[in-house]
């Protein structure tokens, strides 16, 4: 008999946290991994933060016998689809004697973009600064959102849940532009 451990990793840049749980399913193959079927019985597991985003199936058959000959059983997992995440499956590592393991990584389809205003205090005193400045977030050069930065928000802002790729799967390039502030020269950094 053998074991199979599945571990979950999160790559979440959206700033909104991870889902409370994820369901994974164990599958088995008796033809060298050409065809997989859901493992009968207790083949589904719910992964949670409390459980360390990990689960181990135990007492799994290492071999089945067909025509009196042992045939190795190959295992893999798949995960129920999680909204707003892409899923990638790591290589199954290990062997029948020591057990198998696999890592599933979920990557958020969204990111968080932070912006802050830094004043060159050698030019004018804080009392001479304007009450606010307007910044615009651009996605591939097109305006998508605007926001006000001021002393009340410590001259910082955050744009949440911004898509990482466009509808064609191409990475989106984000930039921020600031409206001109009278008496100041702007520098991007």
């Amino acid at each position: 008999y053998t074991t199979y451990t599945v571990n979950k990793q999160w790559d979440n840049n959206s700033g909104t946290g991870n889902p409370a749980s994820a369901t994974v399913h164990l599958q088995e193959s008796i033809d060298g991994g050409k065809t997989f079927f859901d493992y009968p019985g207790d083949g589904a597991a719910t992964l949670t933060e409390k459980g360390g985003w990990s689960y181990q199936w135990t007492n799994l058959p290492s071999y089945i016998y067909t025509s009196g000959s042992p045939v190795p059983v190959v295992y893999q997992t798949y995960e129920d689809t999680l909204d707003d995440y892409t899923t990638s499956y790591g290589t199954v590592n290990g062997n029948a004697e020591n057990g198998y393991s696999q890592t599933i990584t979920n990557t958020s389809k969204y990111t968080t973009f932070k912006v802050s205003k830094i004043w060159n205090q050698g030019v004018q005193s804080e009392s001479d600064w304007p009450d606010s400045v307007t910044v615009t977030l651009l996605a591939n050069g097109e305006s998508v959102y605007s926001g006000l930065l001021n002393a009340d928000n410590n001259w910082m802002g955050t744009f949440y849940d911004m898509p990482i790729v466009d509808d064609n799967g191409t990475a989106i390039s984000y930039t921020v532009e600031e409206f001109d502030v009278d008496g100041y020269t702007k520098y991007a950094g």
Side-chain angles (χ1 to χ4, degrees):
Y1 289 94
T2 190
T3 62
Y4 192 100
T5 303
V6 62
N7 299 295
K8 169 161 291 309
Q9 291 184 342
W10 296 100
D11 184 2
N12 185 348
N13 297 317
S14 69
T16 57
N18 300 323
S21 65
T23 301
V24 294
H25 303 269
L26 183 66
Q27 293 185 309
E28 66 180 352
S29 172
I30 58 170
D31 62 4
K34 295 176 188 167
T35 308
F36 283 90
F37 298 96
D38 284 346
Y39 186 76
D42 190 23
T46 301
L47 307 182
T48 64
E49 183 175 7
K50 184 177 180 181
W53 297 109
S54 182
Y55 184 81
Q56 183 178 68
W57 287 272
T58 58
N59 297 317
L60 300 172
S62 300
Y63 299 92
I64 64 160
Y65 289 85
T66 58
S67 303
S69 299
V71 176
V73 180
V74 178
Y75 294 97
Q76 71 176 17
T77 55
Y78 71 92
E79 179 178 71
D80 289 350
T81 301
L82 295 171
D83 292 341
D84 301 329
Y85 287 86
T86 59
T87 302
S88 60
Y89 298 92
T91 302
V92 176
N93 297 304
N95 56 50
E97 183 179 332
N98 297 314
Y100 298 95
S101 67
Q102 182 180 29
T103 299
I104 298 174
T105 302
N106 294 103
T107 303
S108 175
K109 294 179 183 178
Y110 299 93
T111 190
T112 298
F113 196 88
K114 295 181 179 186
V115 61
S116 61
K117 172 71 179 166
I118 300 172
W119 295 97
N120 181 346
Q121 296 193 24
V123 176
Q124 292 179 335
S125 68
E126 189 172 336
S127 62
D128 295 325
W129 296 350
D131 292 335
S132 65
V133 295
T134 301
V135 294
T136 300
L137 180 66
L138 305 171
N140 295 330
E142 299 292 324
S143 174
V144 290
Y145 292 105
S146 291
L148 286 177
L149 305 181
N150 55 42
D152 291 338
N153 59 25
N154 293 316
W155 300 98
M156 293 186 288
T158 305
F159 298 97
Y160 293 98
D161 297 326
M162 303 310 302
I164 293 174
V165 297
D166 63 20
D167 292 338
N168 298 319
T170 304
I172 297 173
S173 174
Y174 288 101
T175 55
V176 172
E177 284 190 358
E178 176 185 86
F179 284 85
D180 290 335
V181 177
D182 289 339
Y184 289 89
T185 302
K186 61 183 170 184
Y187 299 96

